[in-house]
Amino acid sequence: MRKTGSPRWLPVSVAGAVLLSWAVAAAQTQVVAPANHYKPADDVKLGQEAAQQVEKETPVMHDAEVNDYLTSIGRRLSENIPPEFRHAEFRYSFTGVNLRDINAFALPGGPMFINRGMIEKAHTEGEVAGVMAHELSHVALRHGTAQQTKATPYAVGSVAGQILGAIVGGGWGQVISQGSQFGLGAAFLRYGREYEQQADILGSHIMAAAGYDPRDMANVFRTIEKESGPGGPQWLSDHPNPGNRYDYINKEAQLLHVTTAEHDSRQFQQVQAHLRSLPPAPSAEEVSKNRKAGRGTSVPDSRPRTANIARPDSRTTTYNEGNLFQVAVPANWRELPSNDSVTFAPDGASGTIDGNGVFTHGVEIGVARNESHDLPTATRELLDGLRGSNPRLTPGANSDPVSIGGRQALHTVASNVSDVTGGPESIDVYTAILSDGSLFYVFGVAPREEASIYATAVRNVVRSVQFTR
């Protein structure tokens, strides 16, 4: 089944318990955003234009597992940006790039891109979060447009390529920069050491507030230096070391009174294992040569591997999903969070096809807008929406009354033709109306020949739901 594509909202749980003890110390380093002649709305406009160029020029990953994971970290960090650096116009997004080079960059207004090589070479989730917190700080401090403020004040629409060339850096940045209207050169706009230190310090504050250890940011810079090949890492060439970077980040962590915090997560290990199952990523140089030769770029589909999918475990793992609900699922299913829903599936049962999230076994749980406030009608509307991404879905003719978390609910069984196997699959649909009038849903998916096994597992998942508000 293709995952739902209509706008939904579901709080994504923080991976693991936050074991952080810290206080805002009076002595912590204060960060002041640099002078900027551009408006925050200009950052958004420039960033969106630049993001479109990135989509064209780099092999971005349409991989639900990777992007959902990056989004879960990114949301956790962005929600902890200090109030003075928050901009209502900004829209943060987090996307993987199928390149083995160790690099990451963020564009004005919020779009962030993280190379696959950065995730693969990180030792812990804290290291991934450290790079993302650093990049997020560049955005929050508006360093891209602040850098341009120092230059000749060209019109906003004329400098998008220059700012993108600055932030992306390296070969890609030069190509993009040279293609823009003014040939200022990418090197002119790369971040200087002052901005780098600001992003390190603010990034450490954001990490601490989000429940990560800022010392992992210091560690990842050493990881980058160690894991990069001859010629030095692209990331550090575009993000020069202000000097004593490792030492002052660790000192800042002490000022924040960090004692214990989350370093790693099960999701990090799962995503690294998932990346190892994909074809090796090319280097930026290889992609550039292929592009010049007219061969384009290759972004692998992470199509689910339907062979040898393990049966649902009788043991369960309990998850707390934000401030909305608690649920227990088979212990051999893993959580795949996203912005609009959460999926629990066994290994090998989830992935992407044509850039769309799909899964063959497991459950998707989410909350949908309800315009009717009538459960049968709202359920029909939900299934109509699901057919938008699953055109061969046939809703069941009858619905049975059940209970979800003490609320009246409905259960119906729909049928579909799997995009993965081409065979029939069964979808158990459970729905209930929440106190705010929105529609809570659970989709249980399995091939028809395994429907009886999974129907029992899904029913147990539904029975375990406890609403927390």
Side-chain angles (χ1 to χ4, degrees):
M1 187 187 88
R2 289 183 183 246
K3 295 176 69 176
T4 51
S6 53
R8 306 191 189 285
W9 175 88
L10 179 67
V12 176
S13 63
V14 173
V18 176
L19 303 175
L20 178 69
S21 173
W22 71 287
V24 178
Q28 76 178 41
T29 305
Q30 299 301 306
V31 179
V32 178
N36 198 317
H37 296 162
Y38 291 89
K39 299 176 182 178
D42 294 332
D43 286 56
V44 175
K45 182 177 186 296
L46 290 165
Q48 292 302 317
E49 291 178 358
Q52 291 177 12
Q53 288 182 277
V54 172
E55 295 278 349
K56 294 177 182 178
E57 301 292 337
T58 65
V60 297
M61 299 184 74
H62 301 288
D63 187 305
E65 184 164 351
V66 173
N67 292 334
D68 287 352
Y69 173 67
L70 293 173
T71 297
S72 69
I73 298 176
R75 285 183 59 186
R76 180 172 168 179
L77 295 170
S78 61
E79 288 170 357
N80 285 282
I81 295 173
E84 63 269 30
F85 302 123
R86 295 182 186 178
H87 306 285
E89 302 93 333
F90 285 11
R91 295 292 181 268
Y92 293 98
S93 61
F94 309 90
T95 306
V97 180
N98 191 48
L99 291 173
R100 70 168 177 262
D101 308 77
I102 300 176
N103 198 18
F105 60 91
L107 303 174
M112 185 186 298
F113 298 85
I114 302 95
N115 278 13
R116 175 178 163 185
M118 180 69 75
I119 306 170
E120 291 177 321
K121 292 298 184 180
H123 297 127
T124 65
E125 178 172 295
E127 291 194 357
V128 176
V131 170
M132 293 177 67
H134 177 97
E135 297 296 341
L136 196 69
S137 297
H138 280 308
V139 177
L141 292 166
R142 305 182 60 213
H143 282 162
T145 47
Q147 190 81 294
Q148 182 61 28
T149 294
K150 297 179 180 180
T152 304
Y154 297 120
V156 168
S158 303
V159 299
Q162 292 304 319
I163 291 179
L164 175 60
I167 297 169
V168 175
W172 289 111
Q174 292 172 10
V175 170
I176 296 167
S177 179
Q178 291 168 4
S180 60
Q181 183 174 347
F182 299 97
L184 298 179
F188 178 79
L189 290 174
R190 291 179 190 165
Y191 294 134
R193 286 174 171 79
E194 176 188 1
Y195 287 179
E196 281 302 295
Q197 186 166 14
Q198 279 195 332
D200 289 342
I201 297 300
L202 180 59
S204 71
H205 297 175
I206 292 172
M207 287 186 74
Y212 288 109
D213 189 335
R215 289 168 290 199
D216 281 335
M217 181 192 291
N219 293 335
V220 75
F221 295 141
R222 286 192 169 180
T223 296
I224 292 171
E225 292 175 339
K226 180 180 178 181
E227 296 290 347
S228 298
Q234 179 177 316
W235 191 88
L236 288 179
S237 70
D238 304 328
H239 299 261
N241 189 336
N244 301 317
R245 176 176 246 160
Y246 181 86
D247 294 332
Y248 71 65
I249 293 174
N250 278 289
K251 180 180 179 181
E252 193 70 22
Q254 294 176 357
L255 296 176
L256 293 168
H257 292 186
V258 172
T259 55
T260 56
E262 183 176 6
H263 293 273
D264 212 348
S265 73
R266 181 176 55 184
Q267 286 85 355
F268 171 73
Q269 304 296 336
Q270 291 170 343
V271 166
Q272 282 200 323
H274 169 66
L275 290 174
R276 287 194 294 269
S277 74
L278 301 180
S283 68
E285 182 179 0
E286 289 169 345
V287 171
S288 180
K289 289 180 179 179
N290 288 339
R291 186 178 296 278
K292 290 178 181 178
R295 292 192 291 268
T297 60
S298 176
V299 181
D301 264 341
S302 60
R303 190 178 294 263
R305 305 177 301 279
T306 56
N308 301 319
I309 299 296
R311 290 192 172 194
D313 199 322
S314 59
R315 298 168 299 172
T316 62
T317 302
T318 299
Y319 293 84
N320 290 296
E321 296 302 327
N323 62 348
L324 182 57
F325 69 94
Q326 176 180 294
V327 65
V329 304
N332 61 341
W333 292 7
R334 54 197 174 94
E335 181 181 15
L336 305 172
S338 70
N339 285 331
D340 49 19
S341 64
V342 62
T343 300
F344 297 97
D347 284 339
S350 65
T352 61
I353 294 180
D354 300 328
N356 296 300
V358 296
F359 66 110
T360 58
H361 303 67
V363 296
E364 177 184 339
I365 306 175
V367 177
R369 181 176 298 173
N370 174 19
E371 302 292 349
S372 66
H373 297 286
D374 170 74
L375 182 55
T377 303
T379 301
R380 286 195 297 272
E381 291 174 349
L382 175 71
L383 290 171
D384 287 343
L386 185 62
R387 283 162 62 179
S389 54
N390 298 270
R392 291 180 286 184
L393 182 142
T394 303
N398 300 309
S399 296
D400 300 318
V402 293
S403 175
I404 302 179
R407 297 183 179 277
Q408 292 184 342
L410 290 178
H411 170 228
T412 187
V413 179
S415 60
N416 189 37
V417 177
S418 171
D419 287 329
V420 179
T421 66
E425 63 183 2
S426 178
I427 304 176
D428 281 281
V429 180
Y430 291 86
T431 53
I433 293 179
L434 300 179
S435 56
D436 63 0
S438 55
L439 185 69
F440 178 84
Y441 68 86
V442 179
F443 296 139
V445 179
R448 183 174 295 172
E449 62 271 18
E450 300 177 68
S452 60
I453 298 170
Y454 276 81
T456 300
V458 173
R459 184 164 57 249
N460 291 335
V461 168
V462 170
R463 287 174 176 171
S464 76
V465 170
Q466 297 180 26
F467 294 110
T468 54
R469 69 173 189 185

